[in-house]
């Protein structure tokens, strides 16, 4: 940037600050702040997938380059007379306004050019190892990374269930799915990041370069910097995927078998599971699974609700000579104790397998049930507390009314880098036990049936479940957490709080970034 344009930008940013600190809303029309593409607010900037909180910003930045973000943050961080907060917004698939900035500035990351550059078989300088990776902008969607890397016969290793999320959005949380037991969360598969800190500094960081910032940002809930670029590890794409579902009528057998499966990482590529509460959860979970299910269980037995469980696991089929995937599935199935004759198996393309929730989205959109409130609750539960947690859950929901999946599947704690910012269970048992469970209550609310009062009741119930589960009796931690006050965040981070707070002082001392999380204010 030359001196004239720097001065020009400073003058415009000064006007911006005056506007943002003015008690009256005088932003009436799109504004041209020199090179900064700041506009009047957009509809999307104050909403998200949760449809629970709607906080309008004062303005929206549509950056054309990472420099725009650096410029805005460096200016805001040296001006002490106005406290303007800034949130990066990826795809806005948060639940509780985490990417919103009340009266502040929302940066729409999708405006950055969607650069996706795949590098195949590159020799690493230090180790001499050959690796493949993709360099991608922070606002790109995972679905686009998949499409581009498939052109090279490559793919990221670790996924989320849904692919219409941004790189920056999931790396700010963790990014988990059925591959996490094998490769760790998405944040364990990042080689390098380009980050703009809350001070406006543009830093390239990695495990060996500016590592404190690198680990702070991974799982850092948008508190330390804005991810403008990421380098993600790739592997070869499988030709096909063999996808299995097995049904259970007993929780202990279900989890025991899940743990058997994750102990066979050399054979198995994906393990998840869900609770089958009612007809609806059976039908809706089958949208993308192209097999004829001959499973018609009784959901009421002797006047009481009966709950079932489903494990899903998948094996990549590289169609290599001499290896028959059916045979491998048979061998694995012999080690499992599912309900007799209720193992179902299909073979589908790798893309369709990864994009399975995209199909469910389409089905929900067709029924007008996508843009509705989603009071979701996600938790990491230590293995020692999973049974108690399920009892707590079942005491607090009505199985016949619940709409949406309840996911339950195991992860391995040692696949997570403890230096990253994510809070994991800290019970004494989980310090020695490798296994923890993720439980996701992914509820959809039909607003025609459940109005605001009813939604508030559900939210209160979830708060109660979360508070009880995160107490010492169970020792869970919220994932994609939402807490009512900074004090609750303090206990969320537990022994990691001091490090988290020190990193904030180091990288965003004026607390400009990530107001929607409510961690520091
Ligand atoms: P946003 O909601 O836009 O932002 C989330 C947070 O990240 C905000 O605090 C925001 O300020 C910050 N942020 C966004 N971009 C950046 C950036 N570039 N740099 C720094 N901070 C940034 N999660 C899983 O782990 N596994 C799943 O299987 C999974 N499935 C999902 C399915 C659906 C249908 C939905 C709606 C969500 C799912 N999620 C899952 C949750 C999802 O990973 C998080 O909500 C994630 O934050 C969404 O990404 P986003 O791009 O929409 O982020």
């Amino acid at each position: 940037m030359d001196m004239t344009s720097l001065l020009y930008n400073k003058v415009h940013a000064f006007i911006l600050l005056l506007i943002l600190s003015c008690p009256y809303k005088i932003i009436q029309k799109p504004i041209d702040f020199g090179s900064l593409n700041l506009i009047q607010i957009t509809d999307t900037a104050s909403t998200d997938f949760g449809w629970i909180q709607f906080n309008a910003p004062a303005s929206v930045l549509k950056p054309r380059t990472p420099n725009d973000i650096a410029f805005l943050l460096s200016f805001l961080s040296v001006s002490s007379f106005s406290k303007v907060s800034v949130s990066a917004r990826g795809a806005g698939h948060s639940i509780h306004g985490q990417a919103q900035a009340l009266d502040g500035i929302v940066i729409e990351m999708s405006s950055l050019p969607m650069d996706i550059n795949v590098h195949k078989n590159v020799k690493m300088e230090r180790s001499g190892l050959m690796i493949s990776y993709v360099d991608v902008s922070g606002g790109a969607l995972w679905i686009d990374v998949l499409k581009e890397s498939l052109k090279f016969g490559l793919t990221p290793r670790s996924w989320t269930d849904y692919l219409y999320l941004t790189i920056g959005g999931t790396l700010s949380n963790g990014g988990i799915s059925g591959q996490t037991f094998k490769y760790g969360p998405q944040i364990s598969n990042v080689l390098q990041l380009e980050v703009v800190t809350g001070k406006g500094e543009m830093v390239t960081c990695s495990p060996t370069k500016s590592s404190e910032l690198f680990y702070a940002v991974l799982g850092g809930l948008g508190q330390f910097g804005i991810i403008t670029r990421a380098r993600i590890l790739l592997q070869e794409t499988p030709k096909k995927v063999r996808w299995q579902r097995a049904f259970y009528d007993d929780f202990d057998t279900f989890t025991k078998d899940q743990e058997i499966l994750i102990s066979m990482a050399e054979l198995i590529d994906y393990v998840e599971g869900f609770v089958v509460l009612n007809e609806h959860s059976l039908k809706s979970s089958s949208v993308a699974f192209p097999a004829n299910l001959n499973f018609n269980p009784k959901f009421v037995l002797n006047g009481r609700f009966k709950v079932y469980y489903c494990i899903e696991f998948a094996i990549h089929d590289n169609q290599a000579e001499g290896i028959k995937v059916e045979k491998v599935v048979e061998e694995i199935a012999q080690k499992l104790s599912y309900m007799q004759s209720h193992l179902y198996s299909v073979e589908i393309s790798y893309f369709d397998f990864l994009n399975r929730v995209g199909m469910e989205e389409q089905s929900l959109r067709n029924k007008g049930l996508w843009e509705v409130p989603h009071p979701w609750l996600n938790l990491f539960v230590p293995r020692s507390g999973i049974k108690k947690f399920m009892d707590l859950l079942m005491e607090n929901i009505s199985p016949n009314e619940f709409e949406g999946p309840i996911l339950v599947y195991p992860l391995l704690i040692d696949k997570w880098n403890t230096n990253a910012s994510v809070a994991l269970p800290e019970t004494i048992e989980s310090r020695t036990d490798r296994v923890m469970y993720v439980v996701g209550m992914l509820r959809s609310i039909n607003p025609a049936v459940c109005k605001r009062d009813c939604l508030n009741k559900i939210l209160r119930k979830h708060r109660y479940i979360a508070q009880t589960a995160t107490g010492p009796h169970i020792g869970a931690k919220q994932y994609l957490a939402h807490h009512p006050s900074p004090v609750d965040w303090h206990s969320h981070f537990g022994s990691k709080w001091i490090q988290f707070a020190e990193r904030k002082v180091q990288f965003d001392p004026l607390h400009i970034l990530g107001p929607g999380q409510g961690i520091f204010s």
Side-chain angles (χ1 to χ4, degrees):
M1 215 183 291
D2 64 33
M3 281 311 286
T4 327
S5 57
L6 190 68
L7 189 67
Y8 183 66
N9 276 334
K10 288 214 163 186
V11 170
H12 283 100
F14 178 69
I15 299 167
L16 165 71
L17 274 184
L18 283 180
I19 288 170
L20 288 168
S21 52
C22 175
Y24 309 104
K25 287 272 153 49
I26 55 173
I27 302 179
Q28 301 294 345
K29 58 184 167 57
I31 317 153
D32 175 18
F33 281 100
S35 68
L36 280 193
N37 191 15
L38 269 161
I39 58 162
Q40 203 178 3
I41 63 167
T42 57
D43 283 347
T44 50
S46 49
T47 54
D48 58 31
F49 184 77
W51 267 55
I52 293 166
Q53 295 211 13
F54 304 90
N55 295 310
S59 187
V60 171
L61 174 68
K62 286 180 174 278
R64 294 186 193 100
T65 68
N67 282 334
D68 287 353
I69 299 174
F71 171 72
L72 177 73
L73 287 171
S74 60
F75 191 81
L76 293 178
S77 66
V78 292
S79 31
S80 52
F81 70 95
S82 172
K83 254 192 145 273
V84 179
S85 59
V86 173
S87 263
R89 185 182 195 277
H93 278 85
S94 293
I95 298 300
H96 292 282
Q98 285 93 334
Q100 297 172 14
L102 180 65
D103 293 334
I105 300 174
V106 165
I107 303 181
E108 292 202 343
M109 298 302 291
S110 56
S111 299
L112 287 176
M114 193 186 65
D115 269 346
I116 305 179
N117 297 311
V118 173
H119 302 263
K120 193 166 183 171
N121 294 333
V122 179
K123 195 167 179 183
M124 297 296 284
E125 252 177 43
R126 286 192 187 177
S127 61
L129 282 175
M130 302 294 279
I131 60 160
S132 299
Y133 60 82
V134 59
D135 282 326
V136 55
S137 87
L141 298 174
W142 282 96
I143 184 92
D144 295 319
V145 175
L146 175 62
K147 285 179 183 166
E148 190 58 28
S149 45
L150 284 181
K151 291 180 191 162
F152 297 80
L154 296 169
T155 170
R157 311 189 307 172
S158 183
W159 289 98
T160 47
D161 292 346
Y162 180 62
L163 307 183
Y164 293 80
L165 308 169
T166 64
I167 307 300
T170 72
L171 295 185
S172 299
N173 284 296
I176 54 168
S177 183
Q179 301 85 2
T180 307
F181 83 92
K182 185 161 174 156
Y183 298 114
Q186 289 180 323
I187 54 171
S188 297
N189 290 272
V190 181
L191 300 171
Q192 182 179 293
L193 294 172
E194 183 187 278
V195 174
V196 180
T197 68
K199 297 193 273 192
E201 293 160 349
M202 205 145 40
V203 184
T204 300
C205 53
S206 70
T208 52
K209 194 173 156 197
S210 302
S211 61
E212 189 66 17
L213 178 62
F214 180 76
Y215 289 116
V217 166
L218 293 173
L221 307 174
Q223 297 303 303
F224 310 107
I226 295 183
I227 300 166
T228 51
R229 238 175 142 59
R231 176 168 291 178
I232 291 154
L233 196 57
L234 301 176
Q235 67 179 6
E236 302 239 321
T237 316
K239 298 243 171 356
K240 292 270 182 186
V241 175
R242 174 65 64 170
W243 182 12
Q244 280 70 225
R245 282 190 172 175
F247 288 92
Y248 293 78
D249 57 3
D250 174 66
F251 186 70
D252 290 338
T253 320
F254 162 73
T255 49
K256 191 175 127 272
D257 278 5
Q258 284 187 317
E259 291 179 24
I260 291 177
L261 290 169
I262 64 164
S263 71
M264 294 192 280
E266 68 295 348
L267 291 177
I268 295 173
D269 296 286
Y270 166 99
V271 179
E272 284 203 9
F274 56 90
V275 184
V276 184
L277 280 180
N278 50 37
E279 283 294 342
H280 177 267
S281 64
L282 191 57
K283 277 206 189 99
S284 58
S285 62
S286 307
V287 173
F289 189 70
N292 268 338
L293 295 189
N294 185 22
F295 183 60
N296 303 299
K298 289 201 167 31
F299 289 103
V300 180
L301 278 181
N302 304 328
R304 299 184 58 165
F305 288 119
K306 171 84 188 122
V307 167
Y308 300 83
Y309 309 92
C310 177
I311 290 184
E312 44 176 31
F313 66 98
I315 299 175
H316 290 175
D317 185 354
N318 287 313
Q319 303 187 333
E321 288 243 346
I323 300 178
K324 280 260 165 278
V325 171
E326 294 84 346
K327 197 106 195 80
V328 180
V329 172
E330 239 173 68
E331 275 168 31
I332 293 168
Q334 278 168 12
K335 300 194 164 107
L336 305 179
S337 313
Y338 50 88
M339 291 166 74
Q340 234 180 21
S341 75
H342 289 302
L343 174 69
Y344 301 89
S345 182
V346 291
E347 185 161 86
I348 63 170
S349 76
Y350 182 64
F351 181 86
D352 285 350
F353 175 69
L354 290 180
N355 196 31
R356 59 201 178 278
V357 179
M359 284 178 71
E360 286 168 23
E361 170 180 4
Q362 213 38 61
S363 148
L364 287 168
R365 277 190 188 280
N366 294 344
K367 295 182 207 150
L369 288 176
W370 185 255
E371 286 176 358
V372 296
H374 295 101
W376 285 11
L377 177 62
N378 288 276
L379 292 139
F380 293 136
V381 184
R383 172 163 52 183
S384 56
I386 187 65
K387 193 78 200 307
K388 287 176 256 174
F389 178 80
M390 286 312 286
D391 292 343
L392 169 71
L393 184 62
M394 296 317 296
E395 282 159 19
N396 284 284
I397 59 169
S398 312
N400 55 336
E401 284 170 9
F402 195 97
E403 286 208 27
I406 299 181
L407 305 181
V408 181
Y409 59 92
L411 307 174
L412 294 173
I413 292 181
D414 53 17
K415 296 281 176 185
W416 296 68
N417 190 315
T418 50
N419 231 343
S421 292
V422 189
L424 298 176
E426 291 183 330
T427 54
I428 295 170
E429 293 88 351
S430 51
R431 278 183 216 143
T432 48
D433 193 346
R434 289 182 75 210
V435 178
M436 67 174 177
Y437 279 80
V438 55
V439 180
M441 298 167 59
L442 312 183
R443 202 164 193 161
S444 295
I445 296 300
N446 183 344
V449 180
C450 180
K451 305 254 184 297
R452 191 72 219 190
D453 276 359
C454 159
L455 174 63
N456 286 341
K457 208 169 136 198
I458 291 171
L459 289 169
R460 278 197 298 276
K461 188 66 78 127
H462 283 193
R463 177 121 297 279
Y464 169 75
I465 296 173
Q467 270 170 352
T468 312
T470 52
H473 184 52
I474 295 177
K477 290 281 178 196
Q478 277 194 53
Y479 174 57
L480 309 169
H482 168 61
H483 292 291
S485 71
V487 178
D488 296 287
W489 277 107
H490 194 144
S491 57
H492 171 81
F493 284 106
S495 64
K496 285 187 109 164
W497 172 252
I498 292 176
Q499 182 192 45
F500 198 86
E502 281 174 1
R503 283 171 166 175
K504 187 71 172 173
V505 172
Q506 193 178 350
F507 301 118
D508 180 30
L510 294 184
H511 296 186
I512 292 171
L513 293 174
Q517 301 278 4
I519 301 175
F520 291 98
S521 57

